[in-house]
């Protein structure tokens, strides 16, 4: 359920929800004022909510594609779009399995179930599908792929042993710690760059508090929070 009476509501890719909540707390100390609440979900799900009029003030996506679509429909405030962070894609497997040495190793029959985010709504799943297709693995693995609603669900399925392997963000694998076995990093050349972008959503009223929070995310304190949690810096402009 989407809150409707909050001062500032942020729609966040679920993989960035925790650092954004930490940033919101730090921002509240540095610049006291209206509360900021972060709602996390798959970027594609949040995109649909914004298009259906959900009262978000700020949208943070795990890929530029969602913001491209909102910009084309005039739902973003021009000039507010900015890159916040980057990530990497890695292979993880159940902790009782030996991880493959490379992405190609997922073709091994012992990986009977492989979880990825639903490519239609989850950027992590889209990046994963791009990488598998680029390596010629997608046709062979398609029947083994288990789509999930978001990248956190993908991670949880590996932790619970419901699947044998998965493709997730490096930051998600870091959260799992020794609950999963870490495999290889997916070569970045196999998929589009993983870039988190943010922009202010066009609303009937101005949202100076949301604008100030977005500015905080692009400055030293905000960037330090992302780095601490394993995210890479935004690409050069």
């Amino acid at each position: 359920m989407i809150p409707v009476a909050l001062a500032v509501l942020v729609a966040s890719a679920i993989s960035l929800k925790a650092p954004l909540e930490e940033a919101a707390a730090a921002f509240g100390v540095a610049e006291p004022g209206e509360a900021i609440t972060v709602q996390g979900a798959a970027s594609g799900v949040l995109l649909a909510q914004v298009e259906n009029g959900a009262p978000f003030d700020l949208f943070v996506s795990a890929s530029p594609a969602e913001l491209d679509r909102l910009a084309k429909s005039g739902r973003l405030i021009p000039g507010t779009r900015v890159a916040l962070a980057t990530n990497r894609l890695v292979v993880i497997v159940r902790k009782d399995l030996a991880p493959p040495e490379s992405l190609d190793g997922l073709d091994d029959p012992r990986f009977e179930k492989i979880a990825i985010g639903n490519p239609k709504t989850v950027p992590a799943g889209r990046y994963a599908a791009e990488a598998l297709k680029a390596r010629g693995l997608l046709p062979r693995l398609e029947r083994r792929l288990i789509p999930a609603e978001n990248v956190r669900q993908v991670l949880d399925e590996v932790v619970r042993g419901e699947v044998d392997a998965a493709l997730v963000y490096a930051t998600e694998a870091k959260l799992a710690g020794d609950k999963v076995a870490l495999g290889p990093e997916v070569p970045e050349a196999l998929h589009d760059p993983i870039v988190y972008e943010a922009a202010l959503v066009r609303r009937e009223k101005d949202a100076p508090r949301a604008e100030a929070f977005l500015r905080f995310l692009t400055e030293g304190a905000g960037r330090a929070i992302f780095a601490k949690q394993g995210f890479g810096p935004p690409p050069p402009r």
Side-chain angles (χ1 to χ4, degrees):
M1 180 178 296
I2 301 171
V4 295
L6 297 169
V8 176
L9 185 59
V10 179
S12 168
I14 198 165
S15 53
L16 207 66
K17 183 174 184 286
L20 283 178
E21 288 179 330
E22 183 176 344
F27 174 68
V29 172
E31 299 186 34
E34 300 161 318
I36 294 174
T37 294
V38 181
Q39 180 167 312
S43 297
V45 171
L46 295 171
L47 165 67
Q49 291 178 354
V50 172
E51 290 179 327
N52 288 325
F56 292 115
D57 299 292
L58 176 63
F59 181 57
V60 184
S61 175
S63 85
E66 287 72 23
L67 291 183
D68 287 343
R69 183 162 148 180
L70 291 175
K72 288 178 181 179
S73 65
R75 295 181 182 273
L76 301 181
I77 297 178
T80 65
R81 184 170 174 176
V82 63
L84 295 180
T86 55
N87 215 329
R88 306 179 315 282
L89 202 64
V90 298
V91 176
I92 59 172
V93 302
R94 291 189 345 240
K95 65 178 182 179
D96 59 328
L97 290 176
E101 294 184 0
S102 69
L103 181 65
D104 293 343
L106 287 177
D107 199 18
D108 190 308
R110 64 198 177 97
F111 302 119
E112 295 181 4
K113 294 181 179 181
I114 303 169
I116 66 170
N118 184 341
K120 294 181 179 179
T121 55
V122 183
R126 191 160 64 241
Y127 297 128
E130 289 172 356
L132 294 174
K133 183 177 180 180
R135 290 299 300 163
L137 293 168
L138 193 56
R140 298 201 298 275
L141 298 182
E142 204 159 16
R143 293 185 178 181
R144 298 193 221 167
L145 297 180
I146 310 296
E149 293 181 4
N150 57 62
V151 70
R152 187 62 48 80
Q153 186 181 89
V154 173
L155 177 68
D156 290 343
E157 288 180 353
V158 181
V159 170
R160 294 194 298 264
E162 296 173 0
V163 299
D164 306 300
L167 289 162
V168 298
Y169 295 134
T171 52
E172 296 296 307
K174 181 181 178 181
L175 286 176
D178 60 3
K179 295 179 181 178
V180 302
L182 180 62
E185 185 173 320
V186 177
E188 292 183 343
L190 297 180
H191 57 77
D192 287 338
I194 302 173
V195 181
Y196 294 82
E197 290 193 351
L200 296 176
V201 179
R202 189 187 294 277
R203 301 285 302 279
E204 292 182 0
K205 296 182 179 180
D206 292 338
R209 181 75 170 163
E211 183 178 359
F213 180 55
L214 178 57
R215 185 167 55 250
F216 178 85
L217 296 175
T218 65
E219 296 172 348
R223 293 274 170 85
I225 290 170
F226 295 141
K228 181 181 67 174
Q229 298 205 24
F231 293 86
R237 293 182 179 180

